[in-house]
Amino acid sequence: MIKLINLLKEVGEATSQIYPWKISSTEGETIYYTFQTNSDLDYKVSISYFEYDDYGTYIPAIDVAFAVKTDKEFSTSALTNKGELYSIMATVVDIIKNYISKNSNIKIIIYTPEKKDKNFGKQRNKLYSAFVKNQIPGATIEEFYDDVIIRIP
């Protein structure tokens, strides 16, 4: 039997297949990346640079979001149920790590775990947090309203 803790550990290790991705466009301080899964789902990841106001101290930060194409538009809350969750997360992590490797001053990552209901958002956030804890040792995670703030040491 697979235990949840083992599953989260596997998720956090980001050892799944990473899909080939590319930069599709830029707009100001935002870079858009795209990739396609084995089941031909199209994903878009956006990383937006900004300075986070931490009580008067401005800290280099990024806001990260990703969405899957459903019909004609992209959705951040769609459930695809194609069994590609781990590879999708590993790809998003790879994109973020690539961005940070080129912008080493980044100290904060912010994301909003999209939710259809209260429990669904918590489940997604557990998954995202498992990735963060294994991929960014020493990072702290805090929730602020609907956002999650990751502070990089």
Side-chain angles (χ1 to χ4, degrees):
M1 178 187 317
I2 297 175
K3 293 185 178 184
L4 179 60
I5 192 70
N6 293 337
L7 182 62
L8 288 175
K9 184 177 179 191
E10 177 184 338
V11 169
E13 290 173 357
T15 55
S16 297
Q17 169 193 1
I18 295 172
Y19 297 115
W21 53 266
K22 65 180 180 180
I23 294 174
S24 60
S25 65
T26 59
E27 290 179 24
E29 297 290 342
T30 303
I31 301 175
Y32 295 95
Y33 304 81
T34 56
F35 64 92
Q36 189 174 63
T37 67
N38 291 338
S39 65
D40 295 327
L41 291 173
D42 293 316
Y43 277 82
K44 183 189 293 186
V45 178
S46 68
I47 297 181
S48 302
Y49 173 85
F50 70 103
E51 290 190 353
Y52 180 77
D53 183 355
D54 193 18
Y55 302 102
T57 301
Y58 294 91
I59 303 169
I62 55 174
D63 182 80
V64 178
F66 67 97
V68 62
K69 190 170 189 179
T70 58
D71 297 324
K72 296 180 182 179
E73 60 185 35
F74 281 90
S75 169
T76 58
S77 61
L79 294 175
T80 60
N81 295 322
K82 300 284 184 180
E84 299 170 319
L85 173 65
Y86 304 135
S87 291
I88 292 165
M89 289 304 300
T91 304
V92 172
V93 167
D94 189 59
I95 291 168
I96 293 168
K97 287 171 92 174
N98 179 271
Y99 182 95
I100 290 174
S101 75
K102 295 176 182 176
N103 301 278
S104 60
N105 63 332
I106 302 300
K107 295 298 178 194
I108 291 181
I109 302 169
I110 295 180
Y111 66 88
T112 304
E114 194 67 36
K115 52 190 168 193
K116 291 184 177 184
D117 63 49
K118 194 174 188 176
N119 290 330
F120 183 71
K122 286 182 181 181
Q123 290 171 345
R124 278 195 173 184
N125 196 37
K126 282 182 185 178
L127 173 69
Y128 299 165
S129 293
F131 264 88
V132 169
K133 288 176 182 175
N134 270 1
Q135 295 299 311
I136 308 173
T140 60
I141 302 170
E142 59 192 70
E143 293 183 29
F144 187 73
Y145 294 100
D146 289 335
D147 292 333
V148 175
I149 301 168
I150 302 164
R151 293 181 184 268
I152 303 170

